[in-house]
Amino acid sequence: MKDKRILEINNLHVSFKTYAGLVQAVRGVSFHLNKGETLAVVGESGCGKTVTAKAIMGLLPEPQSIIDKEKSSILINGKNLLDLSDEEMTHVRGKQISMIFQDPMTSLNPTMKIGDQIAESIMIHENKSKEEARKEALRMLELVKIPNAKERLDQYPFEFSGGMRQRVMIAIALACNPEVLIADEPTTALDVTIQAQIMDLIGELQKELNTGVILVTHDLGVVASVADRIQVMYAGKIVERGTTDEIFYSPRHPYTYALLKSIPKLGSDRREKLYSLVGTPPDLTNPPKGCPFAARCEFSMKVCRAVHPDTVAFGDTHEASCWLHDPRADVNGVPEILLGRGETNGK
């Protein structure tokens, strides 16, 4: 059932105290996740993707991080996680929401055997004995297709390859059958072949367990075949959201358009220069008044720097925040695809 809403984020605001001032890392982000679906959160490094994920997990560093609890809410099955104590959150993490972290090389404890690391979560959340937890850990290693799983239980992380460590991370995250799985750049440190295997594995396990997945990545190419919906983040805000087909075939925000242009395409002329988005994201200690992408946007107008655009809907599932869709906008030279009059080359 992909129509049952299990996670809902409302107006999330997260800031960090630094020597330079208060960094407004996440600025009014709202979205939801349905049971059994995959939602991809896409954007450059520093756009707020991982901060949003860690805010959901209750893993932001303290006291440096500040969540505006008067404005924000993070609901799982209607329960606001921001109202829970640290002790109460330990019963949510791993059981209801789990996370696969970016780097399996540093996320696993190098001093603990792999079997013990998987069994630890099972004993905490499932109230099972050490022997029962070990049997379940073995089942999870077999589920994520670790060869010779029984022998591998008693090995240490340094005895595993990068792809195998990532499979172990997936086993730990899914050990207690959580309703929500957050995968934060799960394939970043892996080669292309292993990337495909890991994404296929997450998809297979999701179907088997009916888990809702939030896939955090900077690479639109990774999510093309796995995501049901995509939301594009920039400078702590969601600038566009839609189904996978809507984002790939009919992007409506210049930032999304630039990300798609940056993907190398099979069959392109080898002498053709690969597109690169110029400039850097804005300083979020002093966020711009207007559109945060205006300084880097080749279609920017005067109003873009002065006033933040309203969100425009292009249907039930597709929306973007861009002045180009205002009836008064000067659209000379703007690609037809951004105006909804053409198509991209597809996925």
Side-chain angles (χ1 to χ4, degrees), residues 198-254:
I198 293 298
M199 293 310 302
D200 288 345
L201 176 61
I202 292 174
E204 289 172 16
L205 295 174
Q206 178 187 22
K207 288 178 182 177
E208 183 174 332
L209 303 173
N210 201 24
T211 304
V213 175
I214 298 176
L215 177 59
V216 177
T217 181
H218 65 277
D219 188 352
L220 271 168
V222 168
V223 305
S225 60
V226 298
D228 297 299
R229 292 185 293 122
I230 298 173
Q231 58 187 30
V232 182
M233 284 191 73
Y234 186 78
K237 287 180 173 288
I238 295 173
V239 296
E240 184 170 6
R241 72 178 95 218
T243 65
T244 302
D245 283 348
E246 287 167 342
I247 296 298
F248 274 88
Y249 294 113
S250 187
R252 297 298 178 87
H253 196 283

Side-chain angles (χ1 to χ4, degrees), residues 23-219:
V23 177
Q24 299 175 45
V26 176
R27 305 184 292 146
V29 163
S30 298
F31 63 90
H32 71 274
L33 178 71
N34 296 321
K35 193 173 185 64
E37 80 163 343
T38 299
L39 170 67
V41 184
V42 178
E44 291 172 290
S45 296
C47 72
K49 309 184 303 294
T50 297
V51 172
T52 300
K54 288 188 174 181
I56 296 170
M57 292 292 295
L59 293 175
L60 292 174
E62 295 182 348
Q64 297 94 335
S65 62
I66 303 170
I67 297 180
D68 190 334
K69 295 184 179 181
E70 291 185 5
K71 294 180 180 178
S72 313
S73 65
I74 301 172
L75 307 175
I76 182 162
N77 295 321
K79 178 171 62 178
N80 190 359
L81 301 184
L82 297 182
D83 292 337
L84 303 185
S85 65
D86 290 341
E87 184 179 351
E88 289 171 322
M89 275 301 297
T90 61
H91 298 291
V92 173
R93 283 193 293 265
K95 180 63 177 174
Q96 290 182 279
I97 306 177
S98 283
M99 187 168 180
I100 304 170
F101 295 94
Q102 281 193 32
D103 188 2
M105 307 295 185
T106 58
S107 298
L108 292 170
N109 187 332
T111 67
M112 286 180 67
K113 294 177 180 178
I114 291 298
D116 292 338
Q117 296 193 50
I118 302 172
E120 182 179 45
S121 177
I122 298 169
M123 287 189 289
I124 291 172
H125 295 294
E126 300 291 332
N127 197 27
K128 291 186 177 181
S129 67
K130 188 172 182 179
E131 184 179 347
E132 290 173 326
R134 186 176 171 83
K135 287 181 181 178
E136 185 63 16
L138 175 59
R139 188 185 75 84
M140 290 306 302
L141 281 187
E142 292 172 341
L143 194 64
V144 297
K145 301 178 181 178
I146 296 286
N148 303 316
K150 193 170 184 179
E151 291 76 19
R152 291 287 194 172
L153 276 176
D154 292 314
Q155 292 184 334
Y156 292 90
F158 75 86
E159 299 177 83
F160 286 65
S161 67
M164 298 275 270
R165 291 186 206 187
Q166 194 62 287
R167 290 172 186 269
V168 172
M169 288 296 299
I170 295 170
I172 293 172
L174 294 176
C176 298
N177 194 15
E179 294 180 87
V180 177
L181 174 66
I182 301 173
D184 186 7
E185 304 276 10
T187 60
T188 296
L190 308 175
D191 62 56
V192 176
T193 304
I194 304 300
Q195 279 186 15
Q197 292 176 3
I198 293 298
M199 293 310 302
D200 288 345
L201 176 61
I202 292 174
E204 289 172 16
L205 295 174
Q206 178 187 22
K207 288 178 182 177
E208 183 174 332
L209 303 173
N210 201 24
T211 304
V213 175
I214 298 176
L215 177 59
V216 177
T217 181
H218 65 277
D219 188 352

Side-chain angles (χ1 to χ4, degrees), residues 252-271:
R252 297 298 178 87
H253 196 283
Y255 181 59
T256 309
Y257 179 69
L259 291 178
L260 289 168
K261 284 177 66 179
S262 300
I263 302 174
K265 292 180 175 59
L266 288 173
S268 60
D269 191 336
R270 291 178 60 186
R271 294 165 295 183

